[in-house]
Amino acid sequence: MIPSRFGEYGGRYVPETLVPALDHLTSAFERLWSDQEFRDELDKLLKTYVGRPTPLFRARRFGELAGGATIFLKREDLAHTGSHKLNNALAQALLAKTLGAKRLIAETGAGQHGVATATAAALLGLPCQVYMGCIDMERQRLNVIRMELLGTEVIPVDSGSQTLKDATSQAIRDWMGSYRDTHYVIGSCVGPHPYPAMVRTFQSVIGREARQQILEELGRLPDGLVACVGGGSNAIGLFHPFIDDEVPMVGVEAAGEGLGTGRHSASLGGGTPGVLHGSLSFVLQDDDGQVAPTHSIAAGLDYPGVGPEHAWLQETGRARYVSVTDEEATAAYSAFSKSEGIIPALESSHALAYAMRWGQELGSGSVLLVNLSGRGDKDVVRDDAD
Amino acid sequence: MIATIQAAFQRARSENRAALIAYLAAGDPDLATTVALVRAAAEGGADIIELGIPFSDPLADGPIIQAAYTRALANSITTRRIIEVLPELAKDPGLPIVLMTALNPVLAYGAEIFCKDASAAGAAGLLVPDLLPEDSESLWSRAHAAGIDTICLSAPDTSERRLAAAAAASTGFLYLISRRGVTGPSGGVGETLEAEVARARAVCELPIAVGFGVTTADDARRVARVADGVIVGSAFVDLAANSAPDAAVGAVRAKTEELMNGIRMVGSRTENA
């Protein structure tokens, strides 16, 4: 049985219409996850199609910028489609296909999850529609083109803030009417039960591999884990296999123009408990409970909610959550590109920026493991005017 | 002193017809308009008013109600201001008012104080579409303590067990969602309406009201033939939004009369007693 709540967080706060679909999905997931044939099929695709295991790479020159700390990168940027998103999208798509779904829908912010879902849909021969905010379509145009090339229809969302939040709402509304033949591929560890625990399960391949790889490399566990957090799927995927170890874990949220400016996306750092998109977690909202507009230079972090398990990890103190501004993330993006020959996604650059700060505090001799959740090609041409 | 949901259904039953529940988005585009439209719906014959508290991210609502919420929020509508206008509506027209809200604005307000304030202002019922029966105890107990009736929902694929739980957690009426999908005219009333109502009757002693996709007098007549209540939302909201400012009140009154005609055309409902 997968958990429906993490402490008080999580749960199901959805219209009754969706409950039968969520019940069906929960039992199907639990059944297939313990089905050897399904697992073998997924593992084979992860190996031969996604390119897993992704390497663990020691970033020597970047380590010098991080106080001489030893920095290991989990290279999710090398996974097919350029981010960790395909781990989850492919697993959900395979699950959906096994269950007989005739169509996939998804939401996307930066477009990485949309591309991953479009890719899985093409591979498995399922029609796919992806909801994307009009503003995100502008600032991540390359990914719109990729999705369309992959045979997916991108549906513009012009309601609300026209970003990931509204794309998610619109995808849920689609599913309200379509769940009998359509699977909704949620892209992060958010949403109603079973999504947060199911997405965590699919993304935990990151942490399982990384834990084994660093033990082989060093013979010991790292002194800290670092991952960026929007909804938080790459972070929970890295963290979860280390949860019973005494390894400090830090999630890095987007401070945008600064937590004091109100122009940020740090739900754990600046939000309060609330219900958004079907679960109870931390939400950026006004005093009246209306969801607040958010900002981040990284479209994939530009979201007013966060996975409920992260709210729980923060509350219990098992993980710590910090934030990094647009300016710091951009500086890390630039510095990292030059020091390692790897252009990181702006989302992942938030984790890198904090790794620099943390490494300087811990000094040489310390070992940090950073999830390089995606590649930055999509961010090379961008409109900073947002 | 507060008009009750029970009395409204009782009155409709005594007239041998189903009750009309008219939904309006509070504060669209401002509260003065809402007050005028509620009175227009009452003049047209509505029995119960359902007042939607705007939310930035409603999951069950189609484009018409979403747009209404966006207009209201752009005009700085708040839960507090909506509650403040309720005493005026309790005086005139004096119909029972059911507040419909997403859970988050209630949590932000504070569940206990929300129920107390809403009750003191004259609210008769509370309906929270994203709060499922299994999680409703905490809020519902506060609502009941404040004298507010609670309303849970059932949908076409809801299991028998959940349907019974929804009925058990409700005190006002049971809200039957007529079809899959979000609110609005698209798709009309669900094909399985009659069977759904019969299924609900088997486990629910409360009045059963049907919403989602009920737009025309014909829709209202079909629902009224089997259910105790006919819930119409998007059709009113759409009319209010797309009429000239002076014409909205008349349009809502006329729409209510049209729906009531549909309901009254059913005639004897004894076959469903």
Side-chain angles (χ1 to χ4, degrees):
Chain A
M1 290 281 284
I2 54 168
S4 63
R5 286 188 188 263
F6 310 92
E8 68 171 317
Y9 302 107
R12 258 185 206 166
Y13 298 90
V14 294
E16 175 65 29
T17 308
L18 283 180
V19 172
L22 293 167
D23 278 343
H24 177 64
L25 183 60
T26 305
S27 60
F29 166 72
E30 286 173 346
R31 178 167 50 80
L32 287 174
W33 193 244
S34 53
D35 178 298
Q36 199 54 49
E37 200 180 328
F38 179 82
R39 294 290 294 272
D40 288 346
E41 193 178 355
L42 179 60
D43 284 348
K44 185 163 188 192
L45 285 173
L46 289 174
K47 184 178 172 193
T48 59
Y49 186 74
V50 181
R52 305 206 71 87
T54 56
L56 188 75
F57 175 71
R58 180 169 172 185
R60 289 179 191 275
R61 295 189 63 220
F62 183 70
E64 289 166 21
L65 301 175
T70 300
I71 307 281
F72 280 97
L73 305 171
K74 181 59 174 165
R75 294 290 308 274
E76 292 301 299
D77 63 313
L78 289 178
H80 181 39
T81 72
S83 83
H84 71 292
K85 290 294 188 186
L86 191 56
N87 301 330
N88 167 56
L90 181 59
Q92 283 198 47
L94 187 63
L95 179 98
K97 172 113 179 167
T98 308
L99 295 177
K102 300 283 182 270
R103 167 180 175 253
L104 300 179
I105 54 170
E107 83 295 337
T108 198
Q112 293 301 95
H113 174 59
V115 167
T117 306
T119 299
L123 177 71
L124 300 175
L126 289 168
C128 179
Q129 291 178 310
V130 171
Y131 290 93
M132 190 171 190
C134 290
I135 287 175
D136 288 338
M137 286 180 73
E138 278 299 309
R139 61 179 170 174
Q140 302 283 342
R141 202 169 308 134
L142 178 61
N143 276 339
V144 175
I145 295 167
R146 290 169 78 194
M147 284 184 270
E148 288 172 348
L149 186 60
L150 290 160
T152 278
E153 184 189 353
V154 181
I155 304 178
V157 177
D158 63 2
S159 56
S161 60
Q162 306 183 31
T163 60
L164 177 55
K165 168 182 85 89
D166 309 284
T168 306
S169 296
Q170 203 52 40
I172 294 174
R173 292 180 195 123
D174 179 314
W175 207 42
M176 287 272 293
S178 64
Y179 60 81
R180 282 192 305 171
D181 65 359
T182 296
H183 175 71
Y184 174 27
V185 185
I186 290 190
S188 193
C189 51
V190 301
H193 174 64
Y195 282 103
M198 183 173 73
V199 173
R200 174 190 82 191
T201 305
F202 292 149
Q203 290 294 2
S204 289
V205 65
I206 301 171
R208 278 199 308 277
E209 287 175 6
R211 193 173 181 282
Q212 188 186 341
Q213 286 166 322
I214 201 153
L215 284 174
E216 282 167 9
E217 185 83 24
L218 291 184
R220 73 170 178 96
L221 294 173
D223 299 311
L225 306 178
V226 187
C228 65
V229 174
S233 72
N234 90 82
I236 206 70
L238 177 66
F239 292 175
H240 196 255
F242 289 87
I243 210 110
D244 295 327
D245 300 317
E246 284 175 19
V247 177
M249 311 190 297
V250 175
V252 187
E253 295 190 301
E257 294 173 6
L259 291 189
T261 66
R263 301 246 316 146
H264 65 84
S265 309
S267 313
L268 291 165
T272 48
V275 169
L276 174 65
H277 293 148
S279 61
L280 175 67
S281 185
F282 270 59
V283 177
L284 291 168
Q285 55 185 322
D286 68 15
D287 292 344
D288 219 38
Q290 305 296 340
V291 180
T294 55
H295 163 80
S296 169
I297 196 168
L301 304 182
D302 197 351
Y303 181 67
V306 64
E309 190 166 10
H310 287 297
W312 173 237
L313 291 175
Q314 172 170 263
E315 188 167 299
T316 59
R318 180 60 192 91
R320 201 155 52 82
Y321 295 85
V322 299
S323 60
V324 154
T325 62
D326 286 349
E327 203 176 333
E328 293 169 292
T330 314
Y333 169 80
S334 179
F336 184 81
S337 296
K338 288 172 182 64
S339 71
E340 295 300 331
I342 300 168
I343 299 170
L346 279 172
E347 290 77 10
S348 319
S349 299
H350 286 71
L352 293 168
Y354 184 72
M356 287 170 73
R357 207 194 292 169
W358 201 9
Q360 282 158 13
E361 284 167 28
L362 295 174
S364 63
S366 62
V367 178
L368 294 179
L369 172 50
V370 182
N371 198 7
L372 190 61
S373 56
R375 59 192 289 168
D377 305 48
K378 69 185 177 61
D379 299 312
V380 172
V381 180
R382 65 175 190 270
D383 174 14
D384 286 353
D386 167 39
Chain B
M1 146 140 183
I2 292 173
T4 66
I5 293 168
Q6 288 75 11
F9 277 106
Q10 185 57 50
R11 192 187 58 161
R13 203 174 298 123
S14 72
E15 293 173 15
N16 206 24
R17 61 171 176 88
L20 177 65
I21 301 168
Y23 168 98
L24 292 161
D28 170 29
D30 54 53
L31 283 168
T33 303
T34 303
V35 169
L37 295 180
V38 166
R39 288 174 181 162
E43 285 164 22
D47 299 283
I48 295 171
I49 301 295
E50 184 187 343
L51 217 47
I53 296 179
F55 183 52
S56 51
D57 295 82
L59 298 183
D61 285 309
I64 292 171
I65 291 176
Q66 280 176 54
Y69 286 175
T70 302
R71 286 190 294 270
L73 291 172
N75 210 357
S76 303
I77 196 74
T78 63
T79 309
R80 198 167 297 282
R81 288 182 57 213
I82 293 165
I83 289 176
E84 280 168 6
V85 87
L86 295 183
E88 214 179 307
L89 294 174
K91 242 181 277 161
D92 174 16
L95 295 181
I97 290 176
V98 172
L99 290 176
M100 202 276 336
T101 173
L103 181 58
N104 204 50
V106 177
L107 296 179
Y109 197 105
E112 176 129 9
I113 189 78
F114 175 87
C115 292
K116 281 183 179 160
D117 286 359
S119 171
L126 180 59
L127 192 165
V128 184
D130 58 348
L131 182 66
L132 298 172
E134 58 268 38
D135 294 317
S136 65
E137 166 62 27
S138 165
L139 179 58
W140 276 186
S141 63
R142 291 177 166 100
H144 296 155
I148 294 181
D149 277 317
T150 55
I151 294 131
C152 288
L153 297 93
S154 180
D157 293 320
T158 297
S159 67
E160 305 301 320
R161 186 179 57 77
R162 295 191 60 81
L163 180 51
S170 303
T171 58
F173 58 89
L174 182 71
Y175 190 131
L176 217 56
I177 298 172
S178 90
R179 55 154 166 74
R180 297 166 198 90
V182 293
T183 57
S186 174
V189 176
E191 286 168 16
T192 56
L193 166 74
E194 289 76 11
E196 291 305 321
V197 173
R199 199 164 72 102
R201 289 255 184 249
V203 295
C204 184
E205 291 175 1
L206 291 170
I208 292 165
V210 174
F212 281 53
V214 187
T215 304
T216 64
D218 274 354
D219 295 335
R221 184 173 53 166
R222 182 172 157 213
V223 171
R225 195 169 287 144
V226 288
D228 307 303
V230 180
I231 307 170
V232 179
S234 296
F236 284 120
V237 174
D238 194 30
L239 260 185
N242 291 310
S243 303
D246 298 346
V249 164
V252 165
R253 186 171 44 226
K255 181 72 187 175
T256 315
E257 285 164 356
E258 174 198 327
L259 291 162
M260 286 305 294
N261 285 339
I263 287 172
R264 289 204 174 93
M265 275 171 72
V266 172
S268 170
R269 298 175 69 251
T270 45
E271 73 268 31
N272 307 307

